[in-house]
Each structure stands twice: as C-alpha cells, then as structure tokens.
Amino acid sequence: VPRALVPAEAGDGAVHAPLLTQEEQADVLERLDFVLRNISELRKEVEELRNSLQHLAAEIVGEVRSHLEETQKVTRRRRFPFPRERSDSTGSSSIYFTASSGTANTDDGESEGGYTTANAESDYDRESERESEEGEDEVSCETVRTVRRDSLDLVNEDEMHLVLDSSLEEGLGQLLQQADRLHNGDEQEKREGFQLLLNNKLAYADQKDFLWRLARAHSDMCEITEDTDEKRSYASDGKEEMEIALQKWDQSAECHQWYAVLCGQLSEHESIQKRIQIGYVFKEHIDKAIELKPEDPRSYYLLGRWCYQVSHLGWLEKKTASALFEAPPTATVQDALQNFLRVEELSPGFSKAGRVYIAKCYKDLGNNSAAILWTNLASELPVDTKEDAESERELEEMRSVWQE
C-alpha cells in the first residue's frame, strides 16, 4: 500500500500515512485490470489486421500474376497460330486441281483436261490457296448454321422452351437431391457435396434453391476445416453468395436463414465491436426467415442460440454495445428457452444440441429437475454434427456436477 511521509507534530520526525483507502485501492486495481484487458484486445485486433493485410496483399499479387500469365498465353497463341496440317506437294503425289472435272495428269504443265500439277508451288500459289481454304471454311460454317437453323425451324419455339426448361428442371432436381443427401452425411460427403455444387454453379447460378444450398455447403466447409483462415474464407465467400441472392430473392426464408448462419460463423473471427454489429444483422435476418416460414424449426433454434448468447454477454461486451449503439441487444434466458421449446414442438428431437440448450436454460433458471429431465432426453439422441459433439461434452460436465 503506498504511503507518504507526513509530519505528526512540529519538530517530530515524519511518519507513514496511507494515501488511498482500501475502497479506493480496489477501484484503482479494477480500472487497471480494465485497461489491461483493453490493451490485450487491441493487441489482438492489430495482429489480426496485420495478418489480414498480408493475406490480402498476397491475393492481389497472385491475381495480378495469374492475369499477366493468361494475357501472355493469349498473346502467344495469337502470334503463333497453329497451321492446318497438310502434306508437302513436292514430296507427295497429291495433285491440286484448277478445274472441276476431268482426269488428273502428273506431268508438269497443263494437260488436255485443263489440269495443272502442284509439284512446284510458288508463294503466290500458297497465298491463293490459303485464301481459298478460308473461303471454304466460311462456306462450310455457313452451311452448318443454315442446316441448324432449318432443323430448329421445324420445332415450334414454345415447344423448344418447354423441352429445355423441363430438362433443366429435371437435372436441377436430381442435383439438389444429391446435395441434400451429401449435406446430411459425414465430413467427406460434405466435401463432395460442396465440390458438386461448385462444379454446377455455372449452369444453375440463377436458381434460388441452388444458391442457398451452395451457401449451406460453404457453411459446412467452415465447420469442417480446422484452419482459421480457411474458416474465414469459406464463411466470407458463402456470405457474398447470399448477398447476391437476396438482391433477387428477398422473400426466400432459406436465403435469409443461411445468410444469418454465415454471418454468425464469420463473427467468430472478428473483434468484439464487429461481433456485436454482426449480431444485429443476424437477428434481423432470422426474424425475417421466421416471418416468411414460421414452421421451420431451424430458424427458432438459431434465434434461441442468439438469445442465449446475448443473455450471457460479459460486462465488457455490454459496455461496448452501450457505447456503440443507442439500443444494445437484449434477451433473457427465458426468451432462449421459449425458442428452443418451440423447436421441439415443431420437430421433436430436432438436434441433440437443442435439447442440451434446454437443459442449460432450466439450470440457469434454477429448475434442476427439468434440467435433469432434458439432459436425459438429450442423451437419447445420436451425435450427428460437430455441434452435437460439443454438446455431448457439456452433458458429461452437467452430469458430473449433479452426481457430486
């Protein structure tokens, strides 16, 4: 405890007296602790910013380099076109005719039928031949186009659109079924589903049901990978896909839902300020998804997760939210519980993690008997996802606490 030298009486020596009371010392220590935490957070954010800038610079350099290489390849191809293969007239018995009928003669000069040989080919002859070949190619192409137009004219235009649309819808339907099956599989199947959708993006990029499944596949890859940069990249790319989709399909519940999911995954790698800001966006799109499709249990599960996290915000996060926003996010454990119970009402056994959250809510509210009941119900469900595996560990911890 800092002390100061204060004279007790005139002529006496100095004695020690405290400068701060015990409460003031505690207040100073608390403020120092707050400053140290802020400095630590700031240091992390600076490090993340430095890494992001380095990664961005590397991407820019790579894109510029690949663009230059592609430009050089195109220039090289234009400069050195591949010639049409043909045999050398001076070393073969090939005869180039200048007439359309008659019998060929291999003697030099002109024959009675009006033919000439090509044993000796001048530069002029070669140039003329090249022009002739180009003309033949143009005639051939025009002939093919004419035949194709004639064959298409035999089919009614409306019938052609119907045939193409039905074929497209059939192929898309099969693709989406396969993507759903792979999404519900293990990690390797999720990777296959992601690659399958990427391979078909060019054909179905204007289809709503395809795009939100592609965003879902990005979310799957974000969960599977362990690398932080890859997680951020998958979440960011999927979020961009949904931003484009929402410009056209703002009334799609699935588009709003998976946009919110990807925002949540992306916020895991952001600062406190950014996480709080993204939390508002998450809530907005989940509310929209519930409005458009009120019977979807996943949306209520996601909203329950959001309410539970907001109800457990730390002191620093609450202070940051109050400083940055006029109305900081508010939610209670009871709000979270109501949403998780709604999930069970719509789809009993929807997820193991959902039942674990119900048990946690009851535990936080002091209802241990209900918490134990939902813990046992959660134990009956299999572990299907990475989130379920984390919930299984929480179940073990709660069981051990109650057994003690």
Side-chain angles (χ1 to χ4, degrees), residues 30-46 272 315-317 319-320:
E30 183 178 354
R31 292 188 180 187
L32 286 174
D33 183 58
F34 174 74
V35 171
L36 289 175
R37 286 199 301 269
N38 283 344
I39 292 175
S40 177
E41 290 287 341
L42 181 61
R43 184 179 300 164
K44 291 180 181 178
E45 292 180 15
V46 171
I272 294 178
W315 179 86
L316 179 59
E317 293 169 319
K319 288 294 183 181
T320 304

Side-chain angles (χ1 to χ4, degrees), residues 304-323:
R305 287 283 306 272
W306 184 87
C307 292
Y308 190 84
Q309 291 178 0
V310 170
S311 67
H312 286 75
L313 285 178
W315 179 86
L316 179 59
E317 293 169 319
K318 290 181 180 179
K319 288 294 183 181
T320 304
S322 300

Side-chain angles (χ1 to χ4, degrees), residues 10-51:
D12 292 342
V15 296
H16 291 282
L19 286 177
L20 300 174
T21 65
Q22 197 169 17
E23 294 180 357
E24 291 173 336
Q25 293 170 18
D27 183 63
V28 169
L29 290 175
E30 183 178 354
R31 292 188 180 187
L32 286 174
D33 183 58
F34 174 74
V35 171
L36 289 175
R37 286 199 301 269
N38 283 344
I39 292 175
S40 177
E41 290 287 341
L42 181 61
R43 184 179 300 164
K44 291 180 181 178
E45 292 180 15
V46 171
E47 185 65 26
E48 291 176 357
L49 180 60
R50 183 185 297 114
N51 294 335

Side-chain angles (χ1 to χ4, degrees), residues 208-224:
K208 175 192 65 177
D209 292 333
F210 174 86
L211 282 179
W212 71 256
R213 282 176 172 83
L214 180 59
R216 183 184 65 183
H218 277 88
S219 176
D220 290 341
M221 295 301 295
C222 183
E223 288 186 0
I224 292 172

